[in-house]
Amino acid sequence: MMQQNQILEDILNNPHKLSDSQKDAVVSDNQHVRIIAGAGAGKTETLTRKIVYLLLYKEVPPSSIVAFTFTEKAAQSMKTRIYDRVKAFGGEEICAHLGEMFVGTIHAYCSLLLEDFYGYGDYGTLDENQEMAFIMRYGWNLNLGGKGYASNCRQFLDTLNVVYGELIPENVLKKRSPDFLQKMKGYEDLLNQNKLLTFNLMINIAIEELSKNPSKLENVKHLIVDEYQDINRAQEQLIQLIGDNSNIFIVGDPRQTIYQWRGSDERCFEEFEVKYPDTKTIKITENRRSTKLIIELANNFSDNFESTYPHMSPTRKEDGHVFLKTLEDERQEAEWIADQIETHINEGSCKYSDIGILCRSVNTTGPAFIDVFRERRIPLMIGGKVGLFRRDEIKCVGKLFTWLYDDAFWKDNKYSKESIEGEDILFSALDDWAEGVPDVPLPDNIAESLLQWKESVLKGGFNTFIDIFYSLLNLLNYKKLNPDDPNHAVIMANMGRFSSLITDYEYANRLGGRKKNWERDVKGLFWFIHSYATSSYEEQPADDLESIDAVQLTTVHQAKGLEWALVFIPALVNKRFPSIMTGRTRHWDIPKDLFDYDRYEGDIDSERKLFYVALTRAKNTLVLSKFTRLKNSEPNASEFVKEELDHSLIESLSSRDYLPLCNVTNEGENEDLQTFATNELITYGQCPYMYRLNNVWGYKTSVKELIGYGNTLHFCLRRSAELIRDKGMSPISAVATSVDENFFLPYASPKMFDKLKEGAKKRLIQFAKKHSDDMVRIKEVESRIEFPMQKATVVGRVDVILHDDQGLEVRDYKTSDVVISDEEAALQVQLYTAGLQKIGEPADKGSISYLENASTSDVDVSLPTLENKENIAESYIDGITKRDFTPCPGEICKKCNYVNICKYKRNE
């Protein structure tokens, strides 16, 4: 008992003491708890301590806890704290089992549910951009064609997400909107034919399946949900289904509901205690982030909301600063802010990364800052839906790809009446490169080289768009960029992001084994870029860029959950903030009375909440600014500044005033615990620079007919093992049945597909004949594993775990399309074996089965060998976390997908 008392004391008071309301939240054993936590209230820490309390004090198994976060980054942050606290409070043994607990997004959890229980183990998931590429490929089949094709596709997807998010029943659609229902069912059939899911569809399928059989989740006893004010009705229903037999602990702040336009419904937060009358509501009002004046300003501003909540109370003693600056125009505003930043940096009072510039729209407010900061060489990271195409070097490659289409034109702004056409696109692109990459000049004959490049593309000289892209990069002197130069690193990372755009289009275009037709395909890519990508793709969000010391220019939406010592909120004029788009009618494919359309179209209260979020991002100093002239007009100040802010708390600055220095003490918070898949570590071991291109900067590979071959063989074997275990089939019958039902290659032509399927069936039957004894002793297939290693967690999937009287054997299947060596495959088996041993499983054997020739070889999993391999893996993790991406040219260059753009490749 004394030990448990000490554990509770540690949980509530270390590494710092929680407030009384936080303590109340942590120790509450009520079945339903609702936390109202204001900005900067330490809700992540509260959630962390709650989970540690359950694990160490209540001694619940990790597998009984499910925690939903709004983003994967938030999940990583929470995981880090949980591991740190559990280990610090004496729970080293539990640390090894924390992988059994789910911490992540709702979508990620649904994906696991559908894979584990409902037969979706071989399905892929489309993100928002990939889904748009998919619908633009198939939209004509769904009668979305005609004038404004891209807009029709976008409107269909927006409406579809409303139907999914609001749970509008099909019988209602059949009566009120039969045409849309027909398109919706056709779209779902197309997704199913291609074995694809979307984020919102997977939630609806999970709801449907759990409603039939909720016992699948009877092991979940504690459901914890962060950012509950941002969920929609479908997510609410899913949470209720998961939480039917468990405790539900939710955290949110209705003052920060800023995603209504995509379906978030803050009423879910309000109605929680109606749904669960036993709910205990706890209000955490302390603000640990901001200085007194900032908090008082935000409190007073929040009194303008339609619904009000208790004011935040500061825990910091400093008054801090809030300033208002009026400039003549946008250019002067950007120059004045640049002046302040340069002064702060030159005086050493803070770093660039301590500074945030928050805009209502980067599209409208960003250009002046981008121009001025580029001129002054102030490092800048851009966020927002148009971040990628605000980069001159990205505009360059975007223009050159559209130029491949003979009838192409280019507009820097979709609302612009002026456009560039023909060969002018080529020379405009070259000007963009010169602006964006001034220290890497282009070859003298570049225009002639690009004309030859275009001719080669249209004559079929390349196999894929990625091959075309990498050829273009070489023409643009990409190899002369220095990845260790922060400015060049941003350029190279964003080129990786552009490769995502290319593959999003090409993967959709080549589904079903569709043959190349460059005339058709360059036209399709042109319209995808022109009508969608330029306003939707963001800059590369890769972790590697976080190490770059740069000012962040971002939208307020993207700033949610972040904080900076010094925050600028510019362009506080009418029609900028609040947005001119507020309340503007949107068009839908179903009657508006079927859902609360006002919420999706926005209102002034939504804009107030967005401005409130912006105010509360500042830790020490907040600077508001506006201008008096915009082109030929004289805009009024934003009504928020003019009417709704308490000016007694704001100091106005004259034209000559400079900000007082905002001195920042960086306390050096622990880095978030990173998660690495075993194949990522193997890639780093092969070549750290290849890892950087692939795993950090996201450079993509070419579409090939064989993509997915190894995965489908693995899945067929997985289903075979399940048929043997669950239906008593013989190994040979199980394999034959599984291949007939599950073999799938998304990009193979029908002829190639039939050939590969027949070959796979023969190989796997041969394998089953030779290894029938092994197949009947399979304990688990595709078993997920997660275990701690150094300052990271290692995750992976064990192909099969075999069992006998002596213990467990870890086996990995190796196929012909795998590019790792036998030694690297063995390392994967060894790491899995070590991971199983860490969680107490008696794994003492390892092996690799080669599916092409049905042979099997043993892997050394003796204790000295495992210790050695763990040390190797830890050295890889250490290298990644220290950003050591030193190139390692050698034999791997022959297998590398990026050899054509690598300046370090070994020439033989």
Side-chain angles (χ1 to χ4, degrees):
M1 189 63 184
M2 285 291 292
Q3 183 181 1
Q4 288 301 92
N5 289 339
Q6 183 58 52
I7 288 174
L8 182 59
E9 177 72 17
D10 286 338
I11 291 170
L12 298 180
N13 297 299
N14 290 316
H16 61 260
K17 189 175 182 180
L18 297 179
S19 68
D20 290 343
S21 53
Q22 286 177 305
K23 290 178 180 178
D24 192 13
V26 169
V27 303
S28 174
D29 292 329
N30 286 53
Q31 185 174 1
H32 300 103
V33 178
R34 184 180 71 149
I35 308 297
I36 301 174
K43 64 183 178 63
T44 302
E45 187 64 28
T46 305
L47 291 169
T48 298
R49 306 272 189 112
K50 178 69 180 181
I51 292 171
V52 175
Y53 169 80
L54 292 172
L55 292 167
L56 295 183
Y57 187 74
K58 303 298 287 188
E59 298 181 334
V60 306
S63 59
S64 70
I65 300 173
V66 170
F68 291 150
T69 58
F70 194 65
T71 64
E72 287 299 335
K73 183 175 177 60
Q76 290 295 93
S77 178
M78 190 179 296
K79 279 185 179 180
T80 300
R81 300 190 196 199
I82 292 168
Y83 272 93
D84 285 346
R85 305 293 188 268
V86 168
K87 187 174 182 180
F89 301 155
E92 289 87 351
E93 187 176 333
I94 294 178
C95 275
H97 292 269
L98 289 181
E100 300 167 19
M101 173 180 64
F102 180 84
V103 180
T105 65
I106 291 178
H107 297 110
Y109 189 69
C110 282
S111 180
L112 295 180
L113 286 181
L114 297 183
E115 181 177 334
D116 288 350
F117 302 122
Y118 303 114
Y120 289 86
D122 58 343
Y123 275 60
T125 302
L126 297 176
D127 65 23
E128 182 180 3
N129 293 325
Q130 293 163 344
E131 187 176 8
M132 187 62 180
F134 182 85
I135 193 65
M136 288 186 72
R137 155 77 191 276
Y138 289 106
W140 292 96
N141 304 39
L142 300 172
N143 296 318
L144 297 174
K147 185 178 180 181
Y149 178 59
S151 297
N152 298 341
C153 291
R154 178 76 269 171
Q155 185 171 307
F156 171 75
L157 290 183
D158 287 345
T159 306
L160 188 65
N161 287 328
V162 167
V163 170
Y164 289 148
E166 301 290 338
L167 295 177
I168 299 175
E170 285 190 14
N171 63 330
V172 173
L173 292 174
K174 185 175 182 180
K175 181 178 179 181
R176 299 290 311 283
S177 191
D179 181 59
F180 176 79
L181 178 61
Q182 183 180 14
K183 293 175 183 176
M184 172 179 155
K185 301 308 290 182
Y187 182 62
E188 291 177 347
D189 286 344
L190 284 168
L191 289 170
N192 197 49
Q193 289 169 25
N194 290 285
K195 295 201 172 185
L196 293 169
L197 294 169
T198 66
F199 288 147
N200 287 317
L201 176 59
M202 69 170 63
I203 289 177
N204 278 242
I205 295 173
I207 290 170
E208 183 180 349
E209 296 291 352
L210 284 174
S211 297
K212 297 175 190 173
N213 188 2
S215 64
K216 294 290 187 183
L217 296 182
E218 59 188 11
N219 66 302
V220 178
K221 300 302 178 186
H222 299 275
L223 177 60
I224 294 167
V225 186
D226 192 12
E227 304 286 7
Y228 198 85
Q229 81 281 348
D230 285 327
I231 67 169
N232 62 29
R233 291 297 180 178
Q235 292 165 342
E236 178 191 48
Q237 180 66 24
L238 179 72
I239 288 165
Q240 290 173 1
L241 284 168
I242 299 171
D244 262 355
N245 297 305
S246 67
N247 293 349
I248 306 179
F249 184 96
I250 69 167
V251 180
D253 182 8
R255 288 164 291 195
Q256 298 186 73
T257 307
I258 61 173
Y259 295 103
Q260 301 95 323
W261 50 277
R262 66 183 187 196
S264 297
D265 193 340
E266 64 188 274
R267 292 173 299 184
C268 296
F269 190 85
E270 301 299 328
E271 294 167 6
F272 185 83
E273 58 183 0
V274 176
K275 171 72 177 177
Y276 304 108
D278 66 326
T279 296
K280 178 178 182 179
T281 294
I282 300 170
K283 299 172 183 176
I284 303 177
T285 60
E286 298 83 6
N287 181 298
R288 301 171 182 273
R289 174 188 299 153
S290 305
T291 48
K292 290 180 181 178
L293 283 174
I294 295 171
I295 292 173
E296 191 173 354
L297 186 78
N299 282 338
N300 293 347
F301 181 75
S302 71
D303 291 338
N304 295 294
F305 295 169
E306 291 177 2
S307 301
T308 58
Y309 292 87
H311 281 182
M312 299 180 291
S313 56
T315 61
R316 294 180 59 182
K317 297 179 180 179
E318 309 98 312
D319 288 331
H321 298 281
V322 180
F323 297 105
L324 176 63
K325 179 75 173 180
T326 303
L327 287 307
E328 184 177 342
D329 56 27
E330 290 183 282
R331 175 78 186 193
Q332 278 199 9
E333 181 180 52
E335 288 178 338
W336 182 81
I337 290 175
D339 289 341
Q340 312 314 305
I341 292 171
E342 287 180 336
T343 300
H344 276 72
I345 299 302
N346 293 337
E347 294 294 329
S349 67
C350 68
K351 300 183 298 183
Y352 288 117
S353 56
D354 293 317
I355 302 168
I357 303 173
L358 311 187
C359 309
R360 177 60 181 88
S361 165
V362 172
N363 186 26
T364 54
T365 302
F369 287 97
I370 295 168
D371 291 343
V372 169
F373 281 43
R374 183 181 60 238
E375 292 165 10
R376 300 197 184 190
R377 304 290 290 171
I378 297 174
L380 183 69
M381 294 298 299
I382 307 170
K385 282 290 184 183
V386 292
L388 188 64
F389 279 85
R390 283 296 169 189
R391 292 288 186 183
D392 287 311
E393 63 275 13
I394 295 298
K395 282 198 290 186
C396 169
V397 296
K399 286 177 180 178
L400 291 173
F401 267 95
T402 61
W403 173 63
L404 292 172
Y405 173 46
D406 284 338
D407 294 328
F409 57 88
W410 183 272
K411 292 183 178 183
D412 280 333
N413 186 315
K414 64 181 178 180
Y415 301 109
S416 174
K417 295 180 180 179
E418 298 180 359
S419 62
I420 309 170
E421 299 177 5
E423 297 302 298
D424 290 342
I425 297 175
L426 166 62
F427 295 105
S428 174
L430 296 179
D431 289 341
D432 287 331
W433 185 270
E435 285 289 327
V437 198
D439 47 353
V440 181
L442 293 169
D444 293 337
N445 63 341
I446 184 62
E448 181 181 344
S449 297
L450 288 171
L451 285 166
Q452 293 173 356
W453 169 78
K454 178 178 180 177
E455 182 180 3
S456 179
V457 170
L458 297 180
K459 286 184 176 180
F462 296 91
N463 289 321
T464 69
F465 273 116
I466 279 294
D467 296 335
I468 294 168
F469 178 48
Y470 290 166
S471 172
L472 174 62
L473 290 183
N474 283 325
L475 293 177
L476 296 174
N477 273 342
Y478 171 87
K479 291 180 184 176
K480 291 189 177 181
L481 293 169
N482 176 10
D484 296 321
D485 178 319
N487 288 305
H488 286 191
V490 171
I491 293 168
M492 297 176 79
N494 282 325
M495 288 300 172
R497 183 65 173 150
F498 190 85
S499 78
S500 296
L501 183 161
I502 293 291
T503 53
D504 288 347
Y505 169 78
E506 185 161 33
Y507 274 55
N509 189 49
R510 296 285 294 277
L511 279 169
R514 192 187 200 191
K515 292 183 179 180
K516 291 176 291 185
N517 179 325
W518 288 116
E519 183 178 351
R520 176 201 66 205
D521 296 344
V522 297
K523 178 180 178 180
L525 179 59
F526 162 74
W527 284 109
F528 181 67
I529 292 175
H530 172 74
S531 61
Y532 176 74
T534 53
S535 60
S536 297
Y537 277 79
E538 302 168 11
E539 281 208 59
Q540 177 64 269
D543 291 340
D544 187 47
L545 298 184
E546 294 177 3
S547 65
I548 298 174
D549 185 21
V551 176
Q552 300 249 354
L553 172 68
T554 183
T555 63
V556 184
H557 283 104
Q558 289 195 319
K560 178 81 179 297
L562 303 178
E563 59 185 32
W564 293 269
L566 173 57
V567 168
F568 294 92
I569 309 177
L572 292 176
V573 296
N574 190 32
K575 297 183 180 180
R576 285 285 183 88
F577 207 160
S579 169
I580 193 174
M581 303 296 289
T582 302
R584 180 166 292 186
T585 299
R586 293 173 63 181
H587 298 287
W588 307 94
D589 289 345
I590 59 175
K592 283 188 172 184
D593 61 352
L594 294 183
F595 66 104
D596 181 15
Y597 68 88
D598 284 338
R599 193 170 77 255
Y600 290 85
E601 296 181 355
D603 58 23
I604 193 63
D605 204 51
S606 300
E607 291 292 298
R608 285 193 186 97
K609 290 179 178 178
L610 194 61
F611 188 60
Y612 174 84
V613 168
L615 297 176
T616 54
R617 299 309 95 196
K619 294 163 65 176
N620 299 348
T621 301
L622 173 65
V623 184
L624 313 173
S625 60
K626 55 188 177 71
F627 41 80
T628 57
R629 181 165 53 84
L630 180 60
K631 295 181 180 178
N632 297 321
S633 65
E634 297 180 358
N636 292 322
S638 164
E639 61 189 84
F640 298 155
V641 174
K642 192 174 181 180
E643 302 170 9
E644 299 185 18
L645 285 179
D646 184 346
H647 282 262
S648 68
L649 303 171
I650 304 172
E651 181 180 345
S652 292
L653 297 174
S654 70
S655 59
R656 296 184 178 181
D657 283 340
Y658 269 67
L659 297 177
L661 292 178
C662 173
N663 293 302
V664 178
T665 302
N666 289 296
E667 298 175 358
E669 282 214 12
N670 292 334
E671 284 190 23
D672 284 348
L673 192 73
Q674 294 190 62
T675 299
F676 299 103
T678 52
N679 58 5
E680 290 182 67
L681 297 180
I682 288 170
T683 299
Y684 184 85
Q686 291 173 325
C687 175
Y689 187 65
M690 179 172 69
Y691 175 91
R692 189 180 206 178
L693 289 170
N694 183 21
N695 297 85
V696 179
W697 287 343
Y699 280 76
K700 303 302 180 183
T701 57
S702 300
V703 179
K704 298 174 184 175
E705 285 191 295
L706 274 173
I707 286 180
Y709 180 72
N711 289 338
T712 197
L713 290 190
H714 278 71
F715 186 74
C716 288
L717 283 169
R718 170 182 176 174
R719 287 292 298 130
S720 300
E722 292 168 349
L723 291 171
I724 294 168
R725 183 190 64 202
D726 301 336
K727 297 193 175 181
M729 282 191 180
S730 70
I732 294 173
S733 296
V735 164
T737 300
S738 179
V739 173
D740 286 340
E741 294 179 352
N742 300 291
F743 187 85
F744 179 71
L745 289 174
Y747 304 106
S749 64
K751 184 178 179 180
M752 177 66 77
F753 177 86
D754 291 340
K755 179 182 177 181
L756 291 170
K757 181 176 180 179
E758 187 61 30
K761 192 172 185 178
K762 288 180 180 178
R763 288 186 181 90
L764 293 186
I765 287 175
Q766 179 187 5
F767 180 83
K769 286 179 179 178
K770 190 170 182 179
H771 298 283
S772 58
D773 290 343
D774 287 346
M775 293 189 75
V776 296
R777 64 187 185 96
I778 291 175
K779 178 185 178 184
E780 293 182 54
V781 291
E782 292 288 318
S783 177
R784 280 184 291 273
I785 185 170
E786 179 176 334
F787 55 93
M789 184 177 287
Q790 205 176 14
K791 189 63 178 178
T793 55
V794 176
V795 299
R797 288 175 179 271
V798 184
D799 285 346
V800 291
I801 299 176
L802 310 175
H803 72 97
D804 55 29
D805 294 338
Q806 282 73 45
L808 303 179
E809 178 178 343
V810 175
R811 176 166 294 178
D812 191 59
Y813 294 137
K814 192 175 179 186
T815 57
S816 59
D817 64 334
V818 175
V819 295
I820 62 175
S821 66
D822 290 350
E823 183 180 355
E824 291 159 348
L827 174 61
Q828 191 160 270
V829 170
Q830 289 155 341
L831 292 178
Y832 290 156
T833 304
L836 287 169
Q837 291 180 0
K838 285 177 185 289
I839 60 176
E841 295 284 357
D844 58 0
K845 295 179 184 176
S847 57
I848 300 172
S849 285
Y850 300 87
L851 299 182
E852 293 303 305
N853 60 15
S855 65
T856 297
S857 63
D858 291 334
V859 173
D860 181 4
V861 292
S862 62
L863 184 59
T865 298
L866 292 186
E867 289 176 348
N868 174 256
K869 299 304 180 181
E870 281 194 75
N871 289 336
I872 290 173
E874 287 180 351
S875 72
Y876 295 164
I877 292 170
D878 187 59
I880 296 169
T881 54
K882 290 179 178 177
R883 315 287 180 187
D884 179 4
F885 301 118
T886 304
C888 186
E891 285 298 310
I892 191 60
C893 293
K894 298 176 182 178
K895 303 176 183 178
C896 180
N897 291 308
Y898 313 110
V899 66
N900 290 332
I901 56 170
C902 180
K903 65 194 293 183
Y904 307 106
K905 68 179 178 181
R906 187 168 77 180
N907 294 312
E908 295 181 339

